[in-house]
Amino acid sequence: MAFVLSFFVTPVGYWGKIWLMRLFASPPDIINVDDRQQIDGYDWELKDANWNLFNFKVSKGKVLFVHFWASWNTPSAAELKGIQQLYDRYSDQVDFYLVTNEEREPVEEFMVKNKYTFPVTYRIVGVEAPFKIPKIQGTYIIDKEGAIVIDVKEPCDWDNNTVTQLLDSLSHTP
């Protein structure tokens, strides 16, 4: 009973849940080419890690990895290790947006504690985005022409052959 209870009230339980979510996560489904939707432009005002405003338009014509997350959300936290590995491998070929609507302090603490180096992007609540913003977590991969190639709302395994082959094919310049 104590072991089961530890999964609900202790840090051991938190990390156990993270580990289990990672263990059972599967690769995301890639949307069939004929079923892909275009994003509604690139005009989206955001804040960078230094709280400076910038526009999503800077990424027009690039492959995009857009992940919505929250530091307090266990499924979000479970995905970030794989996303960090993707970022380490593809940051020179893909623009990564790891978007949160949290305040800076808890996010910065979370990043340091977990040794994550991917860029954090802060969403301005109420500002329209060029695609549907999920309630807490969700991920889009968008090709250079603005087509949504992946659209998932559940935790996925991001560091796998399916995703790396996709990013290789999308970022390849003919």
Side-chain angles (χ1 to χ4, degrees):
M1 183 71 160
F3 176 74
V4 172
L5 190 59
S6 74
F7 270 84
F8 295 100
V9 296
T10 68
V12 170
Y14 172 80
W15 291 110
K17 287 186 268 187
I18 296 284
W19 180 80
L20 285 172
M21 285 181 196
R22 287 179 183 158
L23 180 68
F24 291 109
S26 60
D29 291 329
I30 299 171
I31 300 170
N32 185 321
V33 174
D34 295 333
D35 298 328
R36 294 179 184 171
Q37 304 285 319
Q38 292 293 122
I39 63 172
D40 297 331
Y42 289 83
D43 189 19
W44 184 26
E45 200 75 23
L46 298 158
K47 291 180 185 177
D48 66 16
N50 296 317
W51 225 241
N52 296 315
L53 293 173
F54 72 97
N55 197 296
F56 192 63
K57 289 178 186 178
V58 300
S59 291
K60 186 174 184 175
K62 299 177 181 177
V63 177
L64 307 173
F65 184 97
V66 182
H67 178 73
F68 293 88
W69 68 288
S71 64
W72 52 266
N73 181 262
T74 306
S76 290
E79 291 183 285
L80 294 177
K81 181 178 179 183
I83 292 172
Q84 177 67 55
Q85 291 165 332
L86 271 187
Y87 175 76
D88 291 344
R89 197 172 314 143
Y90 288 96
S91 62
D92 60 337
Q93 302 167 51
V94 175
D95 280 4
F96 283 79
Y97 289 87
L98 282 93
V99 184
T100 184
N101 63 357
E102 293 182 82
E103 294 295 323
R104 284 174 64 184
E105 185 177 333
V107 171
E108 289 172 350
E109 287 175 17
F110 181 85
M111 295 291 289
V112 169
K113 178 180 175 184
N114 291 285
K115 299 178 180 151
Y116 292 136
T117 61
F118 52 74
V120 175
T121 304
Y122 293 89
R123 181 170 75 87
I124 303 168
V125 176
V127 172
E128 291 293 317
F131 36 73
K132 185 175 169 124
I133 296 176
K135 290 184 189 245
I136 297 173
Q137 74 183 53
T139 307
Y140 295 97
I141 293 181
I142 302 166
D143 71 13
K144 292 177 182 179
E145 289 76 40
I148 298 172
V149 179
I150 288 180
D151 175 1
V152 295
K153 304 302 182 263
E154 66 276 346
C156 291
D157 172 17
W158 292 105
D159 186 34
N160 64 67
N161 286 338
T162 300
V163 176
T164 57
Q165 288 173 1
L166 173 66
L167 291 178
D168 287 341
S169 70
L170 294 176
S171 61
H172 181 275
T173 306

